[in-house]
Amino acid sequence: MAIIRPFKALRPNEKVAHLVASVPYDVVSREEASNLAKGNPLSFLRVTRAEIEMPEVENVYSEDVYKKAKENLERLKNEAPLIVEEKPCIYVYRLIMGNHSQVGLAATFSVEDYDNNVIKKHEKTRKDKEDDRTNHILFTEAQTGPVFLTYRPVPNIDNIVNNFISKSNPIYDFTAIDGIRHTIWILTDDISEVIIEEISKVKNLYIADGHHRAASASRVQKIKKAQNPHHTGDEEYNYFLAVLFPANQLRIMPYNRIIHKLNMNKDDFLSKIKHNFTITETNQKEPVEPKTFCMYLNKKWYLLKANSNIKTTNKVTDNLDVSILQNYLLNPVLGIEDPRTDKNIDFIGGIRGTEELERHVNNGNAEVAFSLYPVTVDDLMNLSDADEIMPPKSTWFEPKLRDGLLIHLI
């Protein structure tokens, strides 16, 4: 049984919400964050990526950066201004990107559910990134960006939510500079009660994106609990901020790969690939079915199809395209044993398109690039149910939630 809980959001005045809202802290580099915030003193990137105001600081995980984040959050409270909701609420958050629309429930969710695997994971986290967000939460005393959760659809919830938003006025409705429309409503108390009851019947929720945010919230809960002799379990630090979307509304894009150096000539490389894949030249830049890959090499595109040497197994993970590429090409042919740590591989989110792959190869930053077929939401949930771990950089979700619109104070 999953728990969803209303909360008193700290949120911007509706007139400046579009200025405060920022892309998630972890999808942009320091330079990109700085450029996005340039000329906008209200950008929430000044809280989530406070180092952009501290060019002299080389260590972005230093205590000074977290102190700056807290200082900037306090400044925004006054200057935006940011207001605290009068009573706990559940919010509806709709994202529209082109013809794609998805509608989720923004609320807080139980750290205990996360720890006990009611909220399932599919990704390993890195300690340095966990440390970063743990410190960020502790210094700011806030969860400043939501975790992205999903669940198997419940038609009754969809009907209730869609009926409500069709008749209600939103608190925010704006289109960001990337063309994505963000609309948020506050649910009435009576509907919130029904939603809470319906979600309590759901066996499992799944982290789609935001594993480090969730893991950090869990770590903070343990720290706060140890520091509080009067801990009851009802404190805000026992819950974490998330937006919950039905799985049939999600859009997953591929996470493509570039390889900087082949360390062999191209003819030898193509010859070695043929052991596990058929290769044909193509004008196709994106695979249209599983177990096929598009490869850009020497300013040409090739279509790679897995042959009979690649076996299906009982593990969900082994049958993902990202695993097939890793286990039958990147590792045996190019010697990339651990894509998490190997400096010879980089990852390009599908939103950047195949043009970005061509650019890296054409300018000499990479020698070969691979375009992948996206992981499905069913793959993600089935893998999580089997307590398996997805290979790194397997999924890229679009559209993305914005940080700074709904903040959870702990």
Side-chain angles (χ1 to χ4, degrees), residues 277-311:
F277 301 88
T278 61
I279 308 174
T280 54
E281 287 193 33
T282 183
N283 292 323
Q284 187 178 322
K285 299 181 181 183
E286 298 178 353
V288 295
E289 59 182 348
K291 294 183 172 54
T292 62
F293 307 85
C294 291
M295 179 178 75
Y296 189 62
L297 175 72
N298 210 21
K299 296 189 177 181
K300 292 181 181 177
W301 281 99
Y302 297 84
L303 181 65
L304 278 56
K305 289 191 175 184
N307 65 25
S308 58
N309 289 330
I310 295 175
K311 307 297 183 184

mmCIF file of all heavy atoms in Angstrom, residues 277-311:
data_model
loop_
_atom_site.group_PDB
_atom_site.id
_atom_site.type_symbol
_atom_site.label_atom_id
_atom_site.label_comp_id
_atom_site.label_asym_id
_atom_site.label_seq_id
_atom_site.Cartn_x
_atom_site.Cartn_y
_atom_site.Cartn_z
ATOM 1 N N PHE A 277 26.548 -9.015 -34.942
ATOM 2 C CA PHE A 277 25.568 -8.153 -35.600
ATOM 3 C C PHE A 277 25.728 -8.233 -37.116
ATOM 4 O O PHE A 277 26.847 -8.356 -37.623
ATOM 5 C CB PHE A 277 25.752 -6.688 -35.181
ATOM 6 C CG PHE A 277 25.625 -6.442 -33.702
ATOM 7 C CD1 PHE A 277 26.731 -6.553 -32.864
ATOM 8 C CD2 PHE A 277 24.397 -6.102 -33.142
ATOM 9 C CE1 PHE A 277 26.627 -6.315 -31.500
ATOM 10 C CE2 PHE A 277 24.283 -5.866 -31.775
ATOM 11 C CZ PHE A 277 25.395 -5.981 -30.951
ATOM 12 N N THR A 278 24.605 -8.138 -37.824
ATOM 13 C CA THR A 278 24.676 -7.891 -39.263
ATOM 14 C C THR A 278 24.782 -6.380 -39.462
ATOM 15 O O THR A 278 24.186 -5.603 -38.715
ATOM 16 C CB THR A 278 23.430 -8.419 -39.995
ATOM 17 O OG1 THR A 278 22.268 -7.746 -39.494
ATOM 18 C CG2 THR A 278 23.284 -9.928 -39.778
ATOM 19 N N ILE A 279 25.559 -5.976 -40.465
ATOM 20 C CA ILE A 279 25.818 -4.551 -40.681
ATOM 21 C C ILE A 279 25.462 -4.185 -42.114
ATOM 22 O O ILE A 279 25.928 -4.828 -43.068
ATOM 23 C CB ILE A 279 27.301 -4.198 -40.441
ATOM 24 C CG1 ILE A 279 27.770 -4.704 -39.072
ATOM 25 C CG2 ILE A 279 27.520 -2.690 -40.543
ATOM 26 C CD1 ILE A 279 29.262 -4.506 -38.844
ATOM 27 N N THR A 280 24.663 -3.147 -42.277
ATOM 28 C CA THR A 280 24.367 -2.614 -43.608
ATOM 29 C C THR A 280 24.412 -1.092 -43.549
ATOM 30 O O THR A 280 24.042 -0.494 -42.536
ATOM 31 C CB THR A 280 22.969 -3.049 -44.091
ATOM 32 O OG1 THR A 280 21.989 -2.698 -43.112
ATOM 33 C CG2 THR A 280 22.926 -4.563 -44.329
ATOM 34 N N GLU A 281 24.890 -0.481 -44.628
ATOM 35 C CA GLU A 281 24.834 0.983 -44.701
ATOM 36 C C GLU A 281 23.370 1.410 -44.822
ATOM 37 O O GLU A 281 22.544 0.706 -45.405
ATOM 38 C CB GLU A 281 25.642 1.500 -45.888
ATOM 39 C CG GLU A 281 27.146 1.399 -45.683
ATOM 40 C CD GLU A 281 27.925 2.196 -46.727
ATOM 41 O OE1 GLU A 281 27.408 3.253 -47.173
ATOM 42 O OE2 GLU A 281 29.028 1.765 -47.083
ATOM 43 N N THR A 282 23.044 2.567 -44.261
ATOM 44 C CA THR A 282 21.650 3.008 -44.216
ATOM 45 C C THR A 282 21.553 4.522 -44.185
ATOM 46 O O THR A 282 22.530 5.214 -43.839
ATOM 47 C CB THR A 282 20.951 2.420 -42.970
ATOM 48 O OG1 THR A 282 19.572 2.801 -42.970
ATOM 49 C CG2 THR A 282 21.583 2.940 -41.679
ATOM 50 N N ASN A 283 20.387 5.029 -44.542
ATOM 51 C CA ASN A 283 20.076 6.445 -44.323
ATOM 52 C C ASN A 283 19.319 6.635 -43.013
ATOM 53 O O ASN A 283 19.043 7.752 -42.601
ATOM 54 C CB ASN A 283 19.225 6.979 -45.484
ATOM 55 C CG ASN A 283 20.009 7.045 -46.786
ATOM 56 O OD1 ASN A 283 21.199 7.362 -46.777
ATOM 57 N ND2 ASN A 283 19.354 6.720 -47.896
ATOM 58 N N GLN A 284 18.986 5.515 -42.390
ATOM 59 C CA GLN A 284 18.238 5.527 -41.125
ATOM 60 C C GLN A 284 19.162 5.952 -39.996
ATOM 61 O O GLN A 284 20.282 5.472 -39.881
ATOM 62 C CB GLN A 284 17.707 4.107 -40.887
ATOM 63 C CG GLN A 284 16.779 3.943 -39.728
ATOM 64 C CD GLN A 284 16.298 2.495 -39.629
ATOM 65 O OE1 GLN A 284 16.042 1.842 -40.642
ATOM 66 N NE2 GLN A 284 16.196 2.005 -38.407
ATOM 67 N N LYS A 285 18.671 6.845 -39.139
ATOM 68 C CA LYS A 285 19.497 7.350 -38.036
ATOM 69 C C LYS A 285 19.005 6.901 -36.669
ATOM 70 O O LYS A 285 19.723 7.033 -35.679
ATOM 71 C CB LYS A 285 19.545 8.887 -38.082
ATOM 72 C CG LYS A 285 20.166 9.432 -39.362
ATOM 73 C CD LYS A 285 20.208 10.945 -39.355
ATOM 74 C CE LYS A 285 20.796 11.486 -40.649
ATOM 75 N NZ LYS A 285 20.898 12.975 -40.629
ATOM 76 N N GLU A 286 17.777 6.385 -36.599
ATOM 77 C CA GLU A 286 17.201 5.909 -35.348
ATOM 78 C C GLU A 286 16.585 4.536 -35.582
ATOM 79 O O GLU A 286 15.841 4.344 -36.553
ATOM 80 C CB GLU A 286 16.129 6.873 -34.835
ATOM 81 C CG GLU A 286 16.646 8.259 -34.506
ATOM 82 C CD GLU A 286 15.535 9.188 -34.055
ATOM 83 O OE1 GLU A 286 14.344 8.772 -34.126
ATOM 84 O OE2 GLU A 286 15.827 10.315 -33.623
ATOM 85 N N PRO A 287 16.867 3.568 -34.720
ATOM 86 C CA PRO A 287 16.266 2.243 -34.884
ATOM 87 C C PRO A 287 14.755 2.298 -34.684
ATOM 88 O O PRO A 287 14.256 3.077 -33.870
ATOM 89 C CB PRO A 287 16.942 1.394 -33.804
ATOM 90 C CG PRO A 287 17.480 2.376 -32.814
ATOM 91 C CD PRO A 287 17.777 3.629 -33.550
ATOM 92 N N VAL A 288 14.028 1.456 -35.428
ATOM 93 C CA VAL A 288 12.569 1.465 -35.359
ATOM 94 C C VAL A 288 12.034 0.240 -34.638
ATOM 95 O O VAL A 288 10.810 0.092 -34.487
ATOM 96 C CB VAL A 288 11.949 1.550 -36.772
ATOM 97 C CG1 VAL A 288 12.302 2.869 -37.415
ATOM 98 C CG2 VAL A 288 12.381 0.380 -37.641
ATOM 99 N N GLU A 289 12.920 -0.644 -34.169
ATOM 100 C CA GLU A 289 12.492 -1.823 -33.435
ATOM 101 C C GLU A 289 13.604 -2.254 -32.484
ATOM 102 O O GLU A 289 14.775 -1.886 -32.676
ATOM 103 C CB GLU A 289 12.153 -2.967 -34.392
ATOM 104 C CG GLU A 289 13.315 -3.392 -35.281
ATOM 105 C CD GLU A 289 12.928 -4.480 -36.253
ATOM 106 O OE1 GLU A 289 11.840 -5.073 -36.092
ATOM 107 O OE2 GLU A 289 13.718 -4.757 -37.170
ATOM 108 N N PRO A 290 13.256 -3.038 -31.458
ATOM 109 C CA PRO A 290 14.275 -3.503 -30.499
ATOM 110 C C PRO A 290 15.325 -4.384 -31.166
ATOM 111 O O PRO A 290 15.114 -4.936 -32.251
ATOM 112 C CB PRO A 290 13.454 -4.304 -29.477
ATOM 113 C CG PRO A 290 12.049 -3.830 -29.636
ATOM 114 C CD PRO A 290 11.892 -3.464 -31.077
ATOM 115 N N LYS A 291 16.468 -4.488 -30.484
ATOM 116 C CA LYS A 291 17.598 -5.311 -30.909
ATOM 117 C C LYS A 291 18.190 -4.868 -32.239
ATOM 118 O O LYS A 291 18.817 -5.641 -32.965
ATOM 119 C CB LYS A 291 17.213 -6.798 -30.952
ATOM 120 C CG LYS A 291 16.892 -7.372 -29.568
ATOM 121 C CD LYS A 291 16.579 -8.852 -29.611
ATOM 122 C CE LYS A 291 16.469 -9.433 -28.204
ATOM 123 N NZ LYS A 291 15.518 -8.750 -27.329
ATOM 124 N N THR A 292 17.979 -3.601 -32.568
ATOM 125 C CA THR A 292 18.657 -2.977 -33.711
ATOM 126 C C THR A 292 19.273 -1.664 -33.239
ATOM 127 O O THR A 292 18.786 -1.036 -32.293
ATOM 128 C CB THR A 292 17.696 -2.701 -34.881
ATOM 129 O OG1 THR A 292 16.681 -1.787 -34.454
ATOM 130 C CG2 THR A 292 17.051 -3.983 -35.373
ATOM 131 N N PHE A 293 20.358 -1.256 -33.898
ATOM 132 C CA PHE A 293 21.103 -0.067 -33.497
ATOM 133 C C PHE A 293 21.524 0.675 -34.752
ATOM 134 O O PHE A 293 21.824 0.058 -35.780
ATOM 135 C CB PHE A 293 22.350 -0.462 -32.684
ATOM 136 C CG PHE A 293 22.060 -1.356 -31.528
ATOM 137 C CD1 PHE A 293 21.964 -2.736 -31.704
ATOM 138 C CD2 PHE A 293 21.839 -0.835 -30.265
ATOM 139 C CE1 PHE A 293 21.668 -3.576 -30.643
ATOM 140 C CE2 PHE A 293 21.545 -1.662 -29.196
ATOM 141 C CZ PHE A 293 21.462 -3.035 -29.388
ATOM 142 N N CYS A 294 21.533 1.984 -34.659
ATOM 143 C CA CYS A 294 22.091 2.790 -35.737
ATOM 144 C C CYS A 294 23.451 3.315 -35.279
ATOM 145 O O CYS A 294 23.569 3.848 -34.168
ATOM 146 C CB CYS A 294 21.155 3.932 -36.112
ATOM 147 S SG CYS A 294 19.636 3.361 -36.906
ATOM 148 N N MET A 295 24.448 3.147 -36.117
ATOM 149 C CA MET A 295 25.825 3.495 -35.768
ATOM 150 C C MET A 295 26.360 4.518 -36.768
ATOM 151 O O MET A 295 26.209 4.346 -37.979
ATOM 152 C CB MET A 295 26.698 2.239 -35.782
ATOM 153 C CG MET A 295 28.166 2.486 -35.457
ATOM 154 S SD MET A 295 29.136 0.947 -35.432
ATOM 155 C CE MET A 295 29.280 0.615 -37.206
ATOM 156 N N TYR A 296 26.957 5.569 -36.246
ATOM 157 C CA TYR A 296 27.549 6.614 -37.093
ATOM 158 C C TYR A 296 29.059 6.519 -37.010
ATOM 159 O O TYR A 296 29.648 6.683 -35.943
ATOM 160 C CB TYR A 296 27.069 7.987 -36.644
ATOM 161 C CG TYR A 296 27.442 9.107 -37.592
ATOM 162 C CD1 TYR A 296 26.958 9.120 -38.898
ATOM 163 C CD2 TYR A 296 28.261 10.156 -37.174
ATOM 164 C CE1 TYR A 296 27.277 10.156 -39.768
ATOM 165 C CE2 TYR A 296 28.580 11.195 -38.037
ATOM 166 C CZ TYR A 296 28.091 11.185 -39.338
ATOM 167 O OH TYR A 296 28.420 12.204 -40.197
ATOM 168 N N LEU A 297 29.678 6.236 -38.135
ATOM 169 C CA LEU A 297 31.124 6.008 -38.202
ATOM 170 C C LEU A 297 31.648 6.558 -39.518
ATOM 171 O O LEU A 297 31.104 6.248 -40.588
ATOM 172 C CB LEU A 297 31.411 4.502 -38.103
ATOM 173 C CG LEU A 297 32.856 4.041 -38.281
ATOM 174 C CD1 LEU A 297 33.694 4.413 -37.066
ATOM 175 C CD2 LEU A 297 32.909 2.527 -38.522
ATOM 176 N N ASN A 298 32.704 7.358 -39.419
ATOM 177 C CA ASN A 298 33.350 7.860 -40.637
ATOM 178 C C ASN A 298 32.351 8.582 -41.545
ATOM 179 O O ASN A 298 32.355 8.416 -42.764
ATOM 180 C CB ASN A 298 34.015 6.704 -41.392
ATOM 181 C CG ASN A 298 35.237 7.160 -42.183
ATOM 182 O OD1 ASN A 298 35.816 8.197 -41.893
ATOM 183 N ND2 ASN A 298 35.597 6.401 -43.195
ATOM 184 N N LYS A 299 31.444 9.350 -40.919
ATOM 185 C CA LYS A 299 30.432 10.146 -41.617
ATOM 186 C C LYS A 299 29.442 9.295 -42.407
ATOM 187 O O LYS A 299 28.839 9.747 -43.376
ATOM 188 C CB LYS A 299 31.089 11.199 -42.515
ATOM 189 C CG LYS A 299 31.892 12.221 -41.732
ATOM 190 C CD LYS A 299 32.361 13.380 -42.598
ATOM 191 C CE LYS A 299 33.104 14.420 -41.742
ATOM 192 N NZ LYS A 299 33.541 15.569 -42.546
ATOM 193 N N LYS A 300 29.254 8.039 -41.969
ATOM 194 C CA LYS A 300 28.255 7.155 -42.563
ATOM 195 C C LYS A 300 27.409 6.520 -41.452
ATOM 196 O O LYS A 300 27.905 6.263 -40.364
ATOM 197 C CB LYS A 300 28.922 6.025 -43.368
ATOM 198 C CG LYS A 300 29.648 6.460 -44.619
ATOM 199 C CD LYS A 300 30.241 5.241 -45.316
ATOM 200 C CE LYS A 300 31.015 5.647 -46.568
ATOM 201 N NZ LYS A 300 31.647 4.463 -47.213
ATOM 202 N N TRP A 301 26.126 6.286 -41.770
ATOM 203 C CA TRP A 301 25.255 5.569 -40.854
ATOM 204 C C TRP A 301 25.161 4.105 -41.250
ATOM 205 O O TRP A 301 25.086 3.773 -42.430
ATOM 206 C CB TRP A 301 23.856 6.179 -40.841
ATOM 207 C CG TRP A 301 23.757 7.428 -40.015
ATOM 208 C CD1 TRP A 301 23.785 8.718 -40.474
ATOM 209 C CD2 TRP A 301 23.620 7.502 -38.592
ATOM 210 N NE1 TRP A 301 23.675 9.599 -39.424
ATOM 211 C CE2 TRP A 301 23.570 8.880 -38.249
ATOM 212 C CE3 TRP A 301 23.523 6.567 -37.573
ATOM 213 C CZ2 TRP A 301 23.436 9.331 -36.943
ATOM 214 C CZ3 TRP A 301 23.390 6.994 -36.262
ATOM 215 C CH2 TRP A 301 23.350 8.365 -35.958
ATOM 216 N N TYR A 302 25.191 3.242 -40.237
ATOM 217 C CA TYR A 302 25.056 1.804 -40.435
ATOM 218 C C TYR A 302 23.929 1.291 -39.557
ATOM 219 O O TYR A 302 23.715 1.785 -38.446
ATOM 220 C CB TYR A 302 26.341 1.064 -40.038
ATOM 221 C CG TYR A 302 27.560 1.423 -40.859
ATOM 222 C CD1 TYR A 302 28.336 2.545 -40.542
ATOM 223 C CD2 TYR A 302 27.944 0.642 -41.957
ATOM 224 C CE1 TYR A 302 29.462 2.873 -41.281
ATOM 225 C CE2 TYR A 302 29.077 0.968 -42.706
ATOM 226 C CZ TYR A 302 29.816 2.081 -42.363
ATOM 227 O OH TYR A 302 30.939 2.404 -43.111
ATOM 228 N N LEU A 303 23.213 0.272 -40.069
ATOM 229 C CA LEU A 303 22.190 -0.395 -39.272
ATOM 230 C C LEU A 303 22.755 -1.712 -38.760
ATOM 231 O O LEU A 303 23.225 -2.546 -39.534
ATOM 232 C CB LEU A 303 20.942 -0.666 -40.116
ATOM 233 C CG LEU A 303 19.777 -1.345 -39.385
ATOM 234 C CD1 LEU A 303 19.216 -0.436 -38.298
ATOM 235 C CD2 LEU A 303 18.674 -1.734 -40.380
ATOM 236 N N LEU A 304 22.749 -1.878 -37.441
ATOM 237 C CA LEU A 304 23.234 -3.099 -36.802
ATOM 238 C C LEU A 304 22.037 -3.893 -36.291
ATOM 239 O O LEU A 304 21.192 -3.350 -35.581
ATOM 240 C CB LEU A 304 24.151 -2.780 -35.619
ATOM 241 C CG LEU A 304 25.631 -2.450 -35.896
ATOM 242 C CD1 LEU A 304 25.786 -1.297 -36.862
ATOM 243 C CD2 LEU A 304 26.349 -2.160 -34.580
ATOM 244 N N LYS A 305 21.973 -5.175 -36.668
ATOM 245 C CA LYS A 305 20.907 -6.049 -36.179
ATOM 246 C C LYS A 305 21.523 -7.217 -35.424
ATOM 247 O O LYS A 305 22.450 -7.867 -35.924
ATOM 248 C CB LYS A 305 20.048 -6.575 -37.328
ATOM 249 C CG LYS A 305 19.168 -5.528 -37.975
ATOM 250 C CD LYS A 305 18.153 -6.167 -38.916
ATOM 251 C CE LYS A 305 17.183 -5.128 -39.468
ATOM 252 N NZ LYS A 305 16.136 -5.742 -40.314
ATOM 253 N N ALA A 306 21.013 -7.452 -34.213
ATOM 254 C CA ALA A 306 21.525 -8.565 -33.418
ATOM 255 C C ALA A 306 21.292 -9.881 -34.157
ATOM 256 O O ALA A 306 20.211 -10.134 -34.686
ATOM 257 C CB ALA A 306 20.825 -8.591 -32.063
ATOM 258 N N ASN A 307 22.344 -10.737 -34.213
ATOM 259 C CA ASN A 307 22.190 -12.036 -34.866
ATOM 260 C C ASN A 307 21.961 -13.150 -33.842
ATOM 261 O O ASN A 307 21.770 -12.888 -32.659
ATOM 262 C CB ASN A 307 23.386 -12.329 -35.789
ATOM 263 C CG ASN A 307 24.704 -12.468 -35.024
ATOM 264 O OD1 ASN A 307 24.719 -12.806 -33.839
ATOM 265 N ND2 ASN A 307 25.822 -12.226 -35.708
ATOM 266 N N SER A 308 22.025 -14.386 -34.286
ATOM 267 C CA SER A 308 21.694 -15.530 -33.424
ATOM 268 C C SER A 308 22.710 -15.766 -32.317
ATOM 269 O O SER A 308 22.456 -16.563 -31.405
ATOM 270 C CB SER A 308 21.552 -16.796 -34.273
ATOM 271 O OG SER A 308 22.757 -17.058 -34.991
ATOM 272 N N ASN A 309 23.862 -15.126 -32.362
ATOM 273 C CA ASN A 309 24.843 -15.260 -31.279
ATOM 274 C C ASN A 309 24.377 -14.565 -30.002
ATOM 275 O O ASN A 309 24.897 -14.823 -28.913
ATOM 276 C CB ASN A 309 26.197 -14.683 -31.698
ATOM 277 C CG ASN A 309 26.883 -15.544 -32.733
ATOM 278 O OD1 ASN A 309 26.688 -16.758 -32.763
ATOM 279 N ND2 ASN A 309 27.682 -14.924 -33.602
ATOM 280 N N ILE A 310 23.423 -13.662 -30.138
ATOM 281 C CA ILE A 310 22.896 -12.924 -28.978
ATOM 282 C C ILE A 310 21.675 -13.665 -28.461
ATOM 283 O O ILE A 310 20.661 -13.787 -29.148
ATOM 284 C CB ILE A 310 22.559 -11.476 -29.365
ATOM 285 C CG1 ILE A 310 23.850 -10.744 -29.757
ATOM 286 C CG2 ILE A 310 21.861 -10.762 -28.211
ATOM 287 C CD1 ILE A 310 23.643 -9.348 -30.268
ATOM 288 N N LYS A 311 21.782 -14.184 -27.243
ATOM 289 C CA LYS A 311 20.761 -15.060 -26.687
ATOM 290 C C LYS A 311 19.821 -14.296 -25.750
ATOM 291 O O LYS A 311 20.238 -13.423 -24.998
ATOM 292 C CB LYS A 311 21.414 -16.215 -25.917
ATOM 293 C CG LYS A 311 22.460 -16.998 -26.718
ATOM 294 C CD LYS A 311 21.844 -17.675 -27.936
ATOM 295 C CE LYS A 311 22.886 -18.514 -28.677
ATOM 296 N NZ LYS A 311 22.323 -19.114 -29.915
#
